[in-house]
Amino acid sequence: MIRRPAVAGQFYPADPQSLRKELVELTGGRFPPAEPRGVALMVPHAGYMYSGRVAGETYTAVRLARRVVILCPNHTGEGEALAVIDEGDWATPLGPVPVDASLARRVLDGCGAARVDREAHRREHSLEVHLPFLQHLVGDVTIVPVCVGTHHLETLLDLGRSVASAIREAGGDVLLIVSSDMSHYVPAKVAARQDHKAIERVLALDPEGLHRVVREEDISMCGVAPAVAGLEAARRIGAREARLVAYSHSGETTRDLRSVVGYAGVAVT
């Protein structure tokens, strides 16, 4: 089975040559360093013209891996609460990205709420936009696509534990990617203030604290659910520290500071 691109030509170029040129620009021509090894990354998922530079800086901040688990939010409301694709390829303008079937099966076996489901991924953009970066910077990669459509804390922590267990059992380098934008459609000053409350909990590797502060402060961070699961997984597979690589917002592109979307890039090592 092949998952066809849903947002090529909208969020990023559909033409391979134009896409490669844009990826070079967004990464500043850099490639990931040999060290430190990345345990996890939190990377934004808006159109490249808005969040691509934050993504490019984040993807070139640590050593990447050829096996990747990607946790993304569910913007469409379609499909299962925890939707995993366990076989086939994801097509991009740069070619196919195979699903890591054995690693996906480990995640599914370990998490009671996870289901094999393609519907949640069919129109979802927030995982797709990361694949060209990985293809450009790493080359041959395999992925485990997980779309997270629940905010139930215990379910998210259980997913995190299952992902961590799957990564440990797999052995070798496996990178965990959390796909998330930050505050949505608020003034830039409000976004910066609110977002840094959430970022503080991410940098502390505190999934429960992130879940709590986003709820209590009404922060419109669309990827809080995958971030909670990802932080739980990261701390269970030995993450030592996290740092904010870059922060930006859509107003830097539109020049409208009255209503912005925030973007944060975090590297966990």
Side-chain angles (χ1 to χ4, degrees):
M1 296 290 292
I2 299 175
R3 192 275 191 183
R4 299 292 181 185
V7 293
Q10 302 172 51
F11 280 57
Y12 60 89
D15 172 69
Q17 185 174 351
S18 299
L19 177 54
R20 288 195 181 279
K21 180 180 178 182
E22 184 158 354
L23 290 165
V24 170
E25 293 174 353
L26 294 174
T27 57
R30 301 182 303 274
F31 282 87
E35 296 295 338
R37 179 181 75 89
V39 172
L41 298 175
M42 187 175 81
V43 192
H45 55 236
Y48 285 5
M49 67 180 295
Y50 298 109
S51 67
R53 292 204 177 275
V54 172
E57 288 185 47
T58 307
Y59 275 121
T60 56
V62 296
R63 188 176 89 225
L64 307 180
R66 295 191 180 277
R67 304 180 80 183
V68 184
V69 177
I70 308 180
L71 307 178
C72 74
N74 186 330
H75 289 90
T76 68
E78 299 171 358
E80 298 284 345
L82 297 180
V84 181
I85 293 181
D86 66 340
E87 63 178 358
D89 295 321
W90 279 55
T92 84
L94 303 184
V97 178
V99 171
D100 193 320
S102 62
L103 189 54
R105 179 47 55 187
R106 286 189 171 100
V107 173
L108 284 161
D109 289 345
C111 183
R115 300 286 185 272
V116 176
D117 175 49
R118 293 179 175 273
E119 190 61 24
H121 291 274
R122 185 172 60 87
R123 297 191 300 116
E124 180 57 52
H125 70 274
S126 62
L127 192 151
E128 176 183 328
V129 297
H130 297 292
L131 302 184
F133 277 99
L134 294 171
Q135 290 174 295
H136 171 66
L137 294 171
V138 181
D140 295 330
V141 295
T142 61
I143 61 168
V144 178
V146 184
C147 189
V148 184
T150 176
H151 287 259
H152 184 260
L153 179 58
E154 287 307 316
T155 301
L156 298 175
L157 295 176
D158 184 53
L159 173 61
R161 290 189 289 267
S162 300
V163 169
S165 178
I167 289 173
R168 288 196 302 268
E169 290 173 7
D173 279 359
V174 179
L175 176 67
L176 176 60
I177 294 174
V178 169
S179 178
S180 182
D181 292 342
M182 302 301 293
S183 288
H184 284 63
Y185 312 123
V186 296
K189 290 183 178 179
V190 174
R193 183 173 67 250
Q194 293 288 84
D195 288 346
H196 281 82
K197 292 178 183 179
I199 291 167
E200 182 181 70
R201 292 300 90 211
V202 174
L203 299 184
L205 302 175
D206 179 9
E208 296 93 344
L210 175 63
H211 189 272
R212 181 181 62 254
V213 75
V214 167
R215 184 180 67 254
E216 291 178 350
E217 299 290 338
D218 195 24
I219 302 170
S220 49
M221 175 183 177
C222 61
V224 60
V228 168
L231 288 173
E232 177 68 7
R235 67 181 185 181
R236 285 178 175 269
I237 55 178
R240 302 182 307 276
E241 62 180 6
R243 68 181 178 92
L244 180 63
V245 176
Y247 178 82
S248 182
H249 57 73
S250 59
E252 296 183 13
T253 299
T254 65
R255 303 304 177 190
D256 182 359
L257 303 184
R258 297 168 298 175
S259 179
V260 308
V261 178
Y263 311 118
V266 174
V268 180
T269 55

